[in-house]
Structures are given as structure tokens and as C-alpha cells.
Amino acid sequence: QVQLQESGPGLVKPSETLSLTCTVSGGSISSYYWSWIRQPPGKGLEWIAYIYSTGSANYNPSLKSRVTISVDTSKNQFSLKLSSVTAADTAVYYCARHVGGGAGAYDYWGQGTLVTVSS
Amino acid sequence: DIVMTQTPLSSPVTLGQPASISCRSSQSLVHSSGNTYLTWFQQRPGQPPRLLIYKISNRFSGVPDRFSGSGAGTDFTLKISRVEAEDVGVYYCMQGTHSPITFGQGTRLEIK
């Protein structure tokens, strides 16, 4: 059974960089696409970016200037960095696996981690 | 960006009765590959979304057969044949055909 676990600071100061890692267990990160998705408290879902196991990435244009996604196949992990954060970036951040390519659905999700942007 | 519009936003349903959620996209979701990447998720309170239906009508492993998806082009529907208490939550449609991936605003299913 594939499991995903997000990790990283739960509190980030405004203007700083949010950094999260997703660790994949129970399966290989290779040959799949992996996404970061976020959900502000009480609101809907927003796709941030995805990456293929080879490192090829695609970003949401609304966040592209501030986002970097990377993958470390040796550790079975992929990561997110979001720079210059503001209160609007406060959200539960999920990592998820695509099934059927980068356009495909998400079959496995992490439990999510709440990141609050506040001084 | 492709706008995904769900109706209704809230759906009170009696246990054992059917429920239906509509999702309309601002452009056709038919991909150049011929596939239509329209997905439905269920999100229970405090939980991550759970995959229900992919590519319009394919039920994911372990999803009860009371859930079904249909549609084509820009209009899609999720149906629950007989609502059970465990179906309470928020339902989202998502399109992956066009980048960026976008979600509907969600439909809250509640029991009357």
C-alpha cells in the first residue's frame, strides 16, 4: 500500500520561504507524476505543481514565479518550496500521486499538513 | 484557465434517496489523446480527498457501485444511487486535460 507523508514547518513568517517534503513509502517514486495541492481553511482545492520522477515539472502559472518543485529518487521524496509567502498562502498542503500520467487523477494522497503564515 | 462550475453547491438528501452533482467546464475536456480527464473526489471532514471516479466514468478500486459518473465534452455528472450516511462530505470535480489543473468549487452533500 502506497503511503505519502508531508513534513515541514507548520508556521512560516511572511516574506520567508515555505519548504515541504513528501516521503513516499510502500512503492517507488519512479515512473509516476507527483503533485502538490493546497486547500486554504474552509475553501477549495488549488493545484500548485507536479513533477515526474525524472525531474520534468509543470507549474500553475498563478504561483510559478514563487514555486520550485524537486524530486530525490534516492530518498523516494519530492519537495516544494514557495517563496515570499503571505497570509494568503496559509493552507493545508497535500502531496498526491497521479495515476495515468500528468493529466490523470490522484489515487494516493498524504494526510496533509497545515502551514500557517504569520509573524 | 479552465473554470469548473459545480451545481448545486449544497445538496440535502434523504438517506436511501439518489443524489446528483453536475460539473460544467468552460472548455471541452477532450484531450488530444482522445481521453477526457475528468475526475471526481470525495472529501470527508478532516480528511484528504478520496478518488471516486476517473476519466468521466471509471470507478476507482474499492469505490461502491452506487457511485457513477457520466458525461462528455463540457458537461459531467456524479450520481449516487442511494445515499448512505458515510457519503456526507464535499465532492469536487477536477480537470487534468488542460494546464493548469483546476477543480470545481465543491458540492456539500448533507443528510436531511
Side-chain angles (χ1 to χ4, degrees), chain A residues 84-108:
Chain A
S84 305
V85 297
T86 69
D89 295 309
T90 293
V92 175
Y93 285 76
Y94 294 102
C95 56
R97 188 182 84 165
H98 290 251
V99 58
Y106 302 113
D107 58 351
Y108 291 101

Side-chain angles (χ1 to χ4, degrees), chain A residues 35 37 39 42-47 50 58-62 94 98-100 102-112, chain B residues 1 31 37 39 41 43 46-51 53-55 60 92 94-105 108:
Chain A
S35 263
I37 298 140
Q39 185 172 37
K43 296 188 178 180
L45 299 159
E46 180 181 30
W47 171 71
Y50 70 62
N58 188 24
Y59 296 92
N60 191 325
S62 68
Y94 294 102
H98 290 251
V99 58
Y106 302 113
D107 58 351
Y108 291 101
W109 294 69
Q111 281 299 305
Chain B
D1 297 4
H31 191 267
Y37 293 102
T39 303
F41 297 99
Q43 188 174 33
Q47 294 293 314
R50 168 197 176 200
L51 175 59
I53 304 285
Y54 63 97
K55 288 195 283 186
F60 187 58
Y92 294 94
M94 180 198 92
Q95 69 81 23
T97 296
H98 303 282
S99 187
I101 293 166
T102 50
F103 294 85
Q105 66 271 58
R108 186 172 301 276

Side-chain angles (χ1 to χ4, degrees), chain A residues 1-13:
Chain A
Q1 175 81 350
V2 175
Q3 293 186 317
L4 288 73
Q5 180 66 58
E6 305 90 351
S7 59
L11 181 64
V12 181
K13 290 182 167 55

Side-chain angles (χ1 to χ4, degrees), chain B residues 29-108:
Chain B
L29 298 186
V30 180
H31 191 267
S32 56
S33 65
N35 291 313
T36 299
Y37 293 102
L38 187 284
T39 303
W40 289 97
F41 297 99
Q42 173 198 61
Q43 188 174 33
R44 293 173 173 144
Q47 294 293 314
R50 168 197 176 200
L51 175 59
L52 296 176
I53 304 285
Y54 63 97
K55 288 195 283 186
I56 303 177
S57 59
N58 295 275
R59 244 185 333 269
F60 187 58
S61 175
V63 175
D65 61 7
R66 64 178 182 275
F67 290 93
S68 65
S70 63
T74 61
D75 288 293
F76 306 93
T77 303
L78 175 70
K79 292 183 179 177
I80 309 173
S81 59
R82 296 172 305 280
V83 171
E84 298 189 4
E86 66 179 17
D87 299 336
V88 166
V90 180
Y91 291 78
Y92 294 94
C93 60
M94 180 198 92
Q95 69 81 23
T97 296
H98 303 282
S99 187
I101 293 166
T102 50
F103 294 85
Q105 66 271 58
T107 294
R108 186 172 301 276

